[in-house]
Amino acid sequence: MTDTIISLETVNPIEFFGVNNQKLDILKKKFPLLKILSRGTQIKLSGSPEQVESAKEKIDLIVQYLERNGHMSENYFEQILGGDDAETVDNFIDRNPNDILVFGPNGRTVRARTVNQKRLVHEAEKNDIVFAIGPAGTGKTYTAVALAVRALKNKMVKKIILTRPAVEAGESLGFLPGDLKEKIDPYLRPLYDALDDMIPADKLGYYMSTRVIEIAPLAYMRGRTLDNAFIILDEAQNSTDLQLKMFLTRIGANAKAIITGDLTQIDLPKNQRSGLEKAARILRNIDGIAHIELDEEDVVRHRLVKAIIRAYDRDHKESDVHPDQRPREHWRDRKEREDNK
């Protein structure tokens, strides 16, 4: 038996142990053969030398991460405890202190956190068009917006254009209150939220009023030539083949574009097919266009999101039908069926 005491004096113990010791409980489940005790700013490990050394390595990485960032979500905590391969471990070690994408308000730092998010950053630096496809919560949009804000701050582009298809997902636009802008803004809210994290409110207001940063529905892109711009098409799975082609052919000189989407969450009417899968497939071998696929390991939201995604993936595999090929019930049909019960 071996005993080891690890000091946590350089980090906030609450951030390490979690509220009501939730993170400590995760640590104990990961190493059930160890006796793990917390004593103020110290943690004591007792058990076999191999188990103690393995747990100490993971705890040291967590401490390094907290020293750099001040906070670690339960999801990250589980990732580092569960990742035994070199690539996952390397993701949590600060090999390059200059990998911060953006310094947000109040000193907040925004950086790529997971392996595939870092790949997205790397490919966006080398290519003018990047497809980033993956499930909800994997940081596709957030990382893309951070890259756009960095490009603007570094004067690599003159404007940022963020766009989404305004697709009805259960409610008609006509039933929403307000004028056209007020009806469409809820569809674009995630883009505003990302910008709020990265640009002070007064400066963001100035950028929006002078159209240095523009947020608009995809239909508004038709007929335009987008030069000297960083362009993001979000929720691209809800664009048709013709819409996606229209968007891609808007890109002008000194422009970059990132197209994000999740092929398992298509809200198009049942008689329309998403253009994202086709575009990603037929444009795969073109120089200057990169493709990144994110998965549940890149989820940076609540830890349960990863479990939810895995559960749905298991269901899709058991049915042996690709989610994009599975017939989808339109919301109007579903409402009529429920009303007739």
Side-chain angles (χ1 to χ4, degrees), residues 233-251:
L233 171 57
D234 192 34
E235 299 286 353
Q237 77 276 3
N238 288 329
S239 60
T240 65
D241 187 26
L242 291 177
Q243 286 176 327
L244 197 45
K245 179 182 177 181
M246 176 273 291
F247 170 80
L248 291 169
T249 54
R250 299 307 93 202
I251 300 170

Side-chain angles (χ1 to χ4, degrees), residues 36-322:
I36 303 174
L37 299 174
S38 60
R39 298 177 178 175
T41 59
Q42 293 182 333
I43 186 169
K44 182 179 179 180
L45 309 176
S46 301
S48 68
E50 296 81 8
Q51 284 279 308
V52 168
E53 183 61 27
S54 177
K56 184 178 183 302
E57 288 179 359
K58 296 299 178 65
I59 291 171
D60 286 344
L61 289 178
I62 292 171
V63 170
Q64 288 180 38
Y65 188 97
L66 287 172
E67 287 175 343
R68 295 198 315 267
N69 302 283
H71 172 71
M72 174 180 278
S73 68
E74 287 185 19
N75 182 61
Y76 286 162
F77 197 87
E78 285 188 310
Q79 278 191 46
I80 197 168
L81 291 178
D84 296 320
D85 58 288
E87 191 173 34
T88 300
V89 172
D90 182 70
N91 180 50
F92 288 89
I93 300 176
D94 203 2
R95 305 286 188 192
N96 179 10
N98 297 318
D99 66 351
I100 296 173
L101 297 176
V102 178
F103 286 96
N106 302 319
R108 176 174 182 164
T109 59
V110 178
R111 69 175 84 198
R113 303 291 187 185
T114 70
V115 172
N116 285 322
Q117 288 177 11
K118 290 184 177 182
R119 287 177 180 158
L120 173 56
V121 171
H122 180 68
E123 294 299 333
E125 290 172 346
K126 295 193 307 178
N127 299 276
D128 288 337
I129 297 176
V130 178
F131 285 86
I133 299 175
T138 51
K140 306 180 298 294
T141 302
Y142 201 80
T143 304
V145 172
L147 286 166
V149 171
R150 182 180 70 172
L152 182 65
K153 289 186 174 182
N154 292 342
K155 302 187 185 305
M156 298 168 62
V157 296
K158 295 181 179 178
K159 65 175 70 173
I160 295 173
I161 298 175
L162 310 175
T163 184
R164 269 184 159 200
V167 175
E168 299 173 1
E171 277 191 274
S172 172
L173 282 171
F175 288 101
L176 296 174
D179 59 20
L180 180 60
K181 181 181 184 303
E182 291 171 327
K183 290 176 185 290
I184 291 173
D185 270 357
Y187 290 90
L188 308 175
R189 188 70 251 172
L191 301 175
Y192 287 104
D193 290 342
L195 289 171
D196 287 340
D197 284 350
M198 302 175 199
I199 301 176
D202 55 343
K203 196 165 190 178
L204 178 58
Y206 171 77
Y207 282 154
M208 299 286 286
S209 65
T210 57
R211 301 181 71 81
V212 172
I213 296 179
E214 180 181 349
I215 302 178
L218 178 59
Y220 286 27
M221 298 296 106
R222 189 174 298 278
R224 301 179 61 180
T225 300
L226 307 174
D227 297 327
N228 301 304
F230 201 114
I231 316 147
I232 298 172
L233 171 57
D234 192 34
E235 299 286 353
Q237 77 276 3
N238 288 329
S239 60
T240 65
D241 187 26
L242 291 177
Q243 286 176 327
L244 197 45
K245 179 182 177 181
M246 176 273 291
F247 170 80
L248 291 169
T249 54
R250 299 307 93 202
I251 300 170
N254 190 39
K256 281 183 174 287
I258 296 180
I259 298 95
T260 71
D262 176 2
L263 287 170
T264 68
Q265 295 191 19
I266 300 173
D267 298 316
L268 288 168
K270 61 182 179 181
N271 61 337
Q272 294 184 3
R273 292 188 63 83
S274 169
L276 179 59
E277 186 277 333
K278 177 180 176 180
R281 173 170 48 82
I282 68 176
L283 302 177
R284 186 165 291 276
N285 297 318
I286 297 178
D287 187 37
I289 301 179
H291 301 262
I292 298 293
E293 293 185 5
L294 299 98
D295 55 35
E296 69 271 7
E297 295 303 322
D298 299 295
V299 169
V300 291
R301 291 181 184 167
H302 193 284
R303 63 185 180 85
L304 290 177
V305 175
K306 181 188 295 187
I308 291 168
I309 291 171
R310 285 175 174 168
Y312 273 94
D313 285 345
R314 283 195 301 271
D315 178 67
H316 294 323
K317 289 176 182 177
E318 289 170 2
S319 65
D320 199 31
V321 177
H322 188 280

